C-alpha cells in the first residue's frame, strides 16, 4: 500500500514538475507563451499576509530614504534587503552600480540606505535575466528570521485527481523535482475534495508528515488550511511555499512563495491582475496580450500566424524541417475578431527580422472568412512588403478563399501545411 501511494505521488509530482520544466524551457527560449500574471515577491507576501498566513514582517521602498526609515521601523534584530525583480538568482547577481548581490543581510539599520542607493535605478544581472540585466525600481526591507528546519509545501490543481492536491515534503529549501526523483518516499500527497474543502485530519496528517512536532504541528496545520483558503479565494492554480519552515522561537513561517493564477478568472480577480508587473516583459509580448494574442519571439525570419498552440508548434516544426527558421509563435486563439487579425499583422510586420509571413489557420471555432477579411485589410492599410503565404482550412473556407482570390493582393495560397511551409521557406531563400 505504501509503495503504491509513493508511486502515485511520484507520478503527480513528476507530471507537475514536467509542466514547470516546460514553462521554464519556453521562458528560457526568450519569452513566455502566455501573458502569465507576474507578481513581485512583496506582492505575493502581502496576499498571504492578508489571508492570515504567517510571513516575515516587511516594508516596500522605492527610494534609499524610504528603505532606511523602513529598516528603523522594523526594530528587528537582523534585517534582510531584497531587490525586487521577477528573475531568480538575485543573491548572486551583480548591479551596474558595482554592488554584488541583490539580497543583503545586516544588523545595522543604517546600512540599508547606502545599499539601497546602489540598487534602485540600477540594472541587476542574474542567471535568469537578459545580459543587460533588469532595472530595480523597488526593494523589500524585511525582518530576517533564523530557520531551524525547512520543509516544502504546495497546493496545486491536478488533472489526474480532478481537483486540488496538497503536496509536501520534510525536505525543503531544495528543488522538489530532485526529491521526487531521488527520494519519492519523502513526497506526501493529500487529494482535496473541492466541494468539501480541506479537512482538519488532512492538514494535521500533512503537518505530521512534514515533521512538525508538538504545538508546531497544530500551528502548521492551521497555516496549511489558511493557504488552501488563499488558493481558492484568489483562483490560484498553484501555491508553492519553499521553504515552509520553523524558527528557533517556535513559529511556523512561509518564507518564500510562488503563486500561479487561473488567467480565465481575471474577470473576478481584477484587483490581483491589476498588480501584474509587465516592466520585465518583452514590449511586443505585452502589446500582443492587450489584444488577447499569445506571442513568443524567436530568432528566425519567417513569422508564424496561427490559431491554437498545438498548430503553432507544428507550424514552427515544419518550417524548421524544410530549412527555415520561425521568427515567432503567434496564436490567435478561438474567439478571433477581424481587428485582432489586423493587430497581429501590425505586430509581425514591425519586427525587422521578419522576411516572410506564414498564416496557418484551421477553422473549427474560427471563421476563416473573418481571417481572410482581416488579412486583406491589414495588407492594404499596412502596405505589406514581405511575402505572404496563407493556408486556410475549416469553417467557411470557400468564402475565405474567394475573398483572398478577389483581393488582387500578392498572396500565395497553399493547399496544405507542407505546401505552405515549402512556399514560405522558398520565398525567403530568393
Amino acid at each position: 500500500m505504501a509503495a503504491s501511494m509513493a508511486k502515485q505521488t511520484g507520478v503527480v509530482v513528476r507530471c507537475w514538475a514536467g509542466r514547470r520544466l516546460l514553462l521554464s524551457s519556453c521562458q528560457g527560449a526568450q519569452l513566455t507563451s502566455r501573458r502569465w500574471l507576474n507578481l513581485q515577491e512583496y506582492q505575493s507576501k502581502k496576499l498571504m499576509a492578508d489571508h492570515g498566513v504567517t510571513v516575515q514582517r516587511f516594508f516596500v521602498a522605492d527610494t534609499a530614504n524610504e528603505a532606511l526609515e523602513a529598516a528603523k521601523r522594523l526594530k528587528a534584530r537582523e534585517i534582510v534587503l531584497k531587490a525586487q525583480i521577477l528573475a531568480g538568482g538575485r543573491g548572486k547577481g551583480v548591479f551596474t552600480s558595482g554592488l554584488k548581490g541583490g539580497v543583503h543581510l545586516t544588523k545595522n539599520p543604517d546600512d540599508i540606505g547606502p545599499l539601497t542607493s546602489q540598487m534602485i535605478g540600477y540594472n541587476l544581472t542574474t542567471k535568469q535575466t537578459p545580459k543587460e540585466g533588469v532595472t530595480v525600481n523597488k526593494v523589500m526591507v524585511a525582518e530576517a528570521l533564523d530557520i531551524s528546519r525547512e520543509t516544502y509545501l504546495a497546493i496545486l490543481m491536478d488533472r489526474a485527481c480532478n481537483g486540488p492536491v496538497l503536496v509536501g515534503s520534510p525536505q525543503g529549501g531544495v528543488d522538489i523535482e530532485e526529491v521526487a526523483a531521488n527520494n519519492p518516499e519523502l513526497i506526501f500527497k493529500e487529494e482535496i475534495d473541492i466541494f468539501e474543502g480541506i479537512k482538519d485530519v488532512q492538514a494535521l496528517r500533512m503537518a505530521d508528515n512534514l515533521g512538525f512536532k508538538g504545538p508546531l504541528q497544530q500551528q502548521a496545520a492551521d497555516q496549511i488550511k489558511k493557504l488552501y483558503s488563499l488558493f481558492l479565494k484568489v483562483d490560484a492554480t498553484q501555491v508553492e511555499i519553499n521553504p515552509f519552515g520553523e524558527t528557533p522561537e517556535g513559529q511556523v513561517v512561509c518564507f518564500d512563495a510562488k503563486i500561479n493564477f487561473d488567467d480565465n478568472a481575471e474577470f473576478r480577480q481584477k484587483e490581483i491582475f491589476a498588480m501584474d508587473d509587465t516592466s520585465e516583459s518583452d514590449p511586443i509580448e505585452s502589446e500582443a496580450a492587450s489584444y488577447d494574442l499569445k506571442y513568443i519571439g524567436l530568432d528566425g525570419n519567417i513569422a508564424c500566424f496561427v490559431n491554437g498552440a498545438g498548430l503553432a508548434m507544428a507550424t514552427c516544426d515544419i518550417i524548421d524541417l524544410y530549412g527555415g527558421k520561425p521568427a515567432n509563435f503567434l496564436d490567435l486563439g478561438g474567439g478571433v475578431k477581424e481587428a485582432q487579425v489586423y493587430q497581429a499583422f501590425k505586430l509581425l510586420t514591425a519586427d525587422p527580422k521578419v522576411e516572410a509571413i506564414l498564416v496557418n489557420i484551421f477553422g473549427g471555432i474560427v471563421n476563416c472568412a473573418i481571417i481572410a477579411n482581416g488579412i486583406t485589410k491589414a495588407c492594404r492599410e499596412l502596405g505589406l512588403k514581405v511575402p505572404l503565404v496563407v493556408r486556410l482550412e475549416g469553417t467557411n473556407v470557400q468564402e475565405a478563399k474567394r475573398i483572398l482570390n478577389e483581393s488582387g493582393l500578392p498572396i500565395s495560397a497553399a493547399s496544405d501545411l507542407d505546401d505552405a511551409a515549402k512556399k514560405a521557406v522558398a520565398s525567403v531563400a530568393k
Side-chain angles (χ1 to χ4, degrees):
M1 178 68 180
S4 175
M5 178 60 77
K7 182 179 179 182
Q8 290 176 8
T9 303
V11 169
V12 170
V13 175
R14 283 193 295 274
C15 289
W16 167 52
R19 291 199 294 274
R20 288 176 61 187
L21 289 169
L22 177 60
L23 176 59
S24 297
S25 66
C26 288
Q27 290 173 328
Q30 191 166 355
L31 304 170
T32 56
S33 59
R34 174 69 167 88
R35 266 296 314 133
W36 300 110
L37 173 59
N38 291 312
L39 295 188
Q40 297 282 4
E41 179 186 8
Y42 75 89
Q43 293 172 315
S44 295
K45 276 190 163 68
K46 185 177 186 305
L47 265 183
M48 290 194 294
D50 289 345
H51 287 80
V53 177
T54 303
V55 298
Q56 298 151 283
R57 293 184 297 120
F58 72 92
F59 295 102
V60 180
D62 52 21
T63 69
N65 285 337
E66 284 183 12
L68 176 60
E69 289 303 313
K72 291 178 178 178
R73 286 204 307 274
L74 278 174
K75 296 180 180 177
R77 182 174 56 84
E78 192 171 21
I79 302 161
V80 59
L81 177 67
K82 291 185 173 184
Q84 294 298 285
I85 62 170
L86 296 171
R90 290 172 295 174
K92 295 182 180 179
V94 179
F95 287 88
T96 48
S97 66
L99 180 67
K100 293 183 179 179
V103 178
H104 286 264
L105 283 165
T106 180
K107 293 182 179 180
N108 183 1
D110 291 331
D111 291 342
I112 296 299
L115 284 169
T116 302
S117 67
Q118 296 177 76
M119 291 184 176
I120 290 179
Y122 293 98
N123 282 17
L124 174 60
T125 303
T126 77
K127 288 183 178 180
Q128 294 185 18
T129 64
K131 289 181 180 179
E132 66 275 13
V134 173
T135 303
V136 174
N137 297 310
K138 293 181 184 294
V139 295
M140 184 176 77
V141 186
E143 174 186 27
L145 297 175
D146 292 329
I147 307 175
S148 57
R149 200 173 63 86
E150 297 181 329
T151 75
Y152 174 92
L153 183 74
I155 306 168
L156 60 140
M157 283 293 184
D158 189 76
R159 187 184 297 274
C161 301
N162 295 314
V165 175
L166 189 63
V167 177
S169 173
Q171 283 194 5
V174 296
D175 287 339
I176 192 64
E177 293 90 340
E178 291 182 16
V179 180
N182 301 324
N183 302 101
E185 72 280 1
L186 294 179
I187 301 289
F188 298 93
K189 179 186 75 167
E190 292 283 344
E191 294 182 23
I192 301 170
D193 186 313
I194 198 165
F195 297 106
E196 295 182 6
I198 190 167
K199 299 174 182 175
D200 289 346
V201 66
Q202 289 181 301
L204 280 167
R205 186 162 55 227
M206 180 58 75
D208 182 48
N209 286 331
L210 296 182
F212 291 101
K213 305 296 181 186
L216 285 175
Q217 190 172 111
Q218 184 61 56
Q219 192 183 144
D222 290 341
Q223 289 294 299
I224 289 169
K225 288 188 289 185
K226 287 175 180 177
L227 284 166
Y228 181 72
S229 175
L230 165 69
F231 177 83
L232 290 184
K233 286 180 180 176
V234 302
D235 287 301
T237 55
Q238 174 185 302
V239 173
E240 182 184 30
I241 312 297
N242 191 17
F244 182 58
E246 61 182 72
T247 69
E249 294 76 26
Q251 190 177 27
V252 178
V253 179
C254 297
F255 285 94
D256 205 356
K258 179 185 173 79
I259 306 176
N260 291 345
F261 300 85
D262 182 353
D263 294 293
N264 294 314
E266 183 175 356
F267 72 97
R268 65 185 180 200
Q269 299 289 351
K270 293 190 182 298
E271 286 187 12
I272 290 175
F273 277 78
M275 295 191 291
D276 190 12
D277 189 328
T278 61
S279 62
E280 297 172 39
S281 301
D282 184 278
I284 299 178
E285 180 195 2
S286 298
E287 187 177 354
S290 69
Y291 300 110
D292 203 22
L293 302 169
K294 303 170 185 66
Y295 179 95
I296 296 177
L298 301 172
D299 297 328
N301 56 2
I302 299 176
C304 303
F305 177 45
V306 302
N307 65 313
L311 192 60
M313 289 187 284
T315 305
C316 288
D317 285 345
I318 202 162
I319 287 173
D320 190 68
L321 178 68
Y322 288 114
K325 293 293 178 185
N328 69 275
F329 171 121
L330 194 151
D331 175 14
L332 272 173
V336 64
K337 296 179 176 62
E338 195 175 308
Q340 285 176 290
V341 179
Y342 176 84
Q343 293 299 335
F345 264 81
K346 194 173 178 180
L347 287 168
L348 295 177
T349 54
D351 185 346
K353 298 195 309 293
V354 170
E355 297 177 17
I357 298 174
L358 193 164
V359 177
N360 184 24
I361 301 293
F362 186 84
I365 300 173
V366 172
N367 185 332
C368 290
I370 292 175
I371 302 292
N373 281 323
I375 289 173
T376 55
K377 179 183 178 182
C379 288
R380 289 191 178 101
E381 294 187 14
L382 298 174
L384 189 67
K385 294 180 175 62
V386 297
L388 173 62
V389 179
V390 178
R391 179 254 183 170
L392 300 172
E393 284 296 343
T395 304
N396 218 5
V397 67
Q398 295 306 320
E399 173 64 11
K401 288 180 177 179
R402 183 193 67 76
I403 292 168
L404 294 178
N405 290 336
E406 295 178 4
S407 69
L409 295 166
I411 298 171
S412 178
S415 56
D416 55 34
L417 182 50
D418 264 326
D419 184 39
K422 288 176 183 176
K423 286 179 176 175
V425 173
S427 70
V428 170
K430 288 179 181 177

